[in-house]
């Protein structure tokens, strides 16, 4: 944080300490701690949230707590990868449902499989739900048998699920690249081949040993758009949803080495 910023702005990335189901007093205790740190420096309270790790303080509760503990007239919130929007809250993300649909459809049509093991992310997360909806839509359109298990965005968990279920499926679709890598490693250890696809486009996919389709998100652009949107909100702009584009790629080792 730059406490000499001309806007006298304190920005907090909220850690995933509690779940959305926690009682209000639990939120209040954590927010009191953040507020105590911010109060000497802040005229505005701006917060950026990402649900990738699961638990976070809900924006509607934050807008209730901030005036009580900071004495502020309004709170500016930027949500990453979540669709919550109000006059002081903007959302920056890709269309997760469509992206999951697109990468899975490409993999299915290339390999002509019908029995799909889908390794989803964290239960009850927005990103998990949106991507699962994309898979359900694809399964209905292509008459696929969809078998869903929660991988918790964990490479280790996805590896375990692949050992358990991949042998009886034609294709493995994963809601993240790390889970795709875990599933692919399990398939290699079982000495069987099943097409695998991931989501995110992280560099590690190039080292997985097998080329896999994935959704590439431009994280640099997402960060830049988020900061520009925060500045626009601070200047009095109204909250809005910003959907960014993505690409479907097959990550190769030669594409990532310097």
């Amino acid at each position: 944080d730059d406490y000499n910023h001309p806007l006298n702005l304190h920005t907090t990335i909220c850690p995933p300490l509690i779940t959305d189901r926690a009682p209000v007093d639990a939120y209040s205790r954590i927010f009191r701690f953040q507020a105590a740190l911010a109060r000497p420096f802040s005229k505005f309270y701006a917060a950026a949230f990402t649900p990738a790790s699961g638990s976070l303080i809900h924006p509607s509760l934050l807008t209730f707590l901030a005036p009580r503990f900071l004495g502020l007239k309004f709170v500016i919130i930027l949500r990453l990868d979540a669709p919550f929007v109000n006059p002081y809250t903007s959302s920056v993300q890709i269309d997760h449902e469509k992206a999951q649909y697109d990468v899975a459809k490409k993999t299915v049509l290339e390999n002509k499989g019908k029995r799909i093991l889908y390794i989803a992310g964290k239960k009850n997360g927005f990103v998990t739900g949106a991507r699962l909806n994309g898979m359900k839509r694809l399964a209905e359109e292509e008459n696929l048998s969809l078998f869903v298990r929660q991988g918790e965005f964990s490479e280790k968990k996805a590896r375990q699920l692949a050992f358990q279920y991949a042998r009886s499926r034609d294709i493995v679709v994963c809601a993240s690249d790390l889970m795709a890598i875990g599933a692919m490693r399990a398939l290699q250890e079982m000495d069987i081949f099943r097409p695998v696809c991931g989501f995110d486009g992280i560099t590690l996919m190039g080292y997985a040993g097998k080329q896999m389709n994935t959704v590439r998100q431009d994280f640099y652009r997402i960060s830049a758009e988020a900061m520009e949107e925060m500045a626009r909100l601070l200047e009095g702009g109204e909250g809005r949803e910003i959907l960014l584009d993505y690409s479907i790629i097959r990550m190769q080792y030669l594409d990532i080495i310097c």
Side-chain angles (χ1 to χ4, degrees):
D1 294 328
D2 179 7
Y3 296 127
N4 294 315
H5 191 283
L7 289 176
N8 204 11
L9 171 68
H10 178 83
T11 303
T12 298
I13 306 300
C14 183
L17 299 178
I18 49 181
T19 71
D20 288 339
R21 295 179 294 277
V24 172
D25 63 336
Y27 289 108
S28 299
R29 288 194 297 272
I30 288 178
F31 194 82
R32 284 179 194 273
F33 173 73
Q34 290 188 345
L37 295 177
R39 186 179 295 110
F41 311 102
S42 300
K43 292 180 181 175
F44 304 103
Y45 188 92
F49 295 106
T50 172
S53 55
S55 308
L56 48 84
I57 293 180
H58 195 276
S60 60
L61 185 55
L62 181 59
T63 57
F64 167 73
L65 292 172
R68 294 182 62 191
F69 299 130
L70 283 176
L72 304 179
K73 293 182 178 179
F74 62 88
V75 180
I76 292 171
I77 303 172
L78 190 66
R79 293 295 297 269
L80 306 181
D81 284 340
F84 185 92
V85 174
N86 68 27
Y88 299 121
T89 304
S90 285
S91 167
V92 180
Q93 61 173 325
I94 66 169
D95 187 333
H96 290 275
E97 179 178 338
K98 184 176 185 300
Q100 184 67 90
Y101 173 93
D102 288 345
V103 69
K105 184 173 183 177
K106 183 176 190 296
T107 305
V108 167
L109 295 181
E110 287 175 346
N111 297 279
K112 298 179 173 59
K114 287 292 186 180
R115 299 173 300 171
I116 311 299
L117 169 61
Y118 181 60
I119 303 180
K122 287 183 178 292
K123 189 176 182 180
N124 299 326
F126 163 75
V127 167
T128 297
R131 295 178 188 179
L132 180 57
N133 287 340
M135 288 302 302
K136 290 178 178 178
R137 179 159 64 94
L138 177 63
E140 184 176 348
E141 290 180 7
E142 300 293 332
N143 193 26
L144 305 175
S145 171
L146 183 63
F147 185 71
V148 180
R149 285 294 180 268
Q150 302 291 332
E152 305 294 328
F153 292 117
S154 163
E155 181 178 351
K156 182 178 180 180
K157 180 68 172 177
R159 179 175 179 273
Q160 294 169 345
L161 291 171
F163 274 123
Q164 287 180 268
Y165 303 112
R167 191 179 294 275
S168 60
R169 306 290 152 174
D170 300 322
I171 295 172
V172 180
V173 179
C174 298
S176 79
D177 287 344
L178 279 178
M179 293 195 296
I181 292 170
M184 180 60 75
R185 293 295 299 176
L187 292 166
Q188 290 173 336
E189 292 178 45
M190 290 189 289
D191 197 26
I192 61 175
F193 173 73
R194 299 289 185 274
V196 179
C197 65
F199 199 114
D200 284 330
I202 65 174
T203 301
L204 281 175
M205 283 287 273
Y207 296 97
K210 297 283 187 180
Q211 295 180 17
M212 294 179 274
N213 292 327
T214 187
V215 175
R216 171 178 277 171
Q217 300 191 63
D218 187 341
F219 292 112
Y220 178 85
R221 185 183 172 199
I222 290 173
S223 300
E225 288 281 351
M227 292 302 98
E228 289 180 7
E229 183 63 11
M230 183 73 79
R232 192 187 68 84
L233 290 172
L234 286 169
E235 291 172 356
E238 187 165 317
R240 60 182 178 175
E241 181 180 33
I242 299 175
L243 284 179
L244 302 179
D245 54 7
Y246 57 87
S247 56
I248 307 299
I249 64 168
R250 184 173 295 226
M251 193 81 77
Q252 301 183 53
Y253 174 69
L254 291 179
D255 294 333
I256 62 174
I257 60 175
C258 298

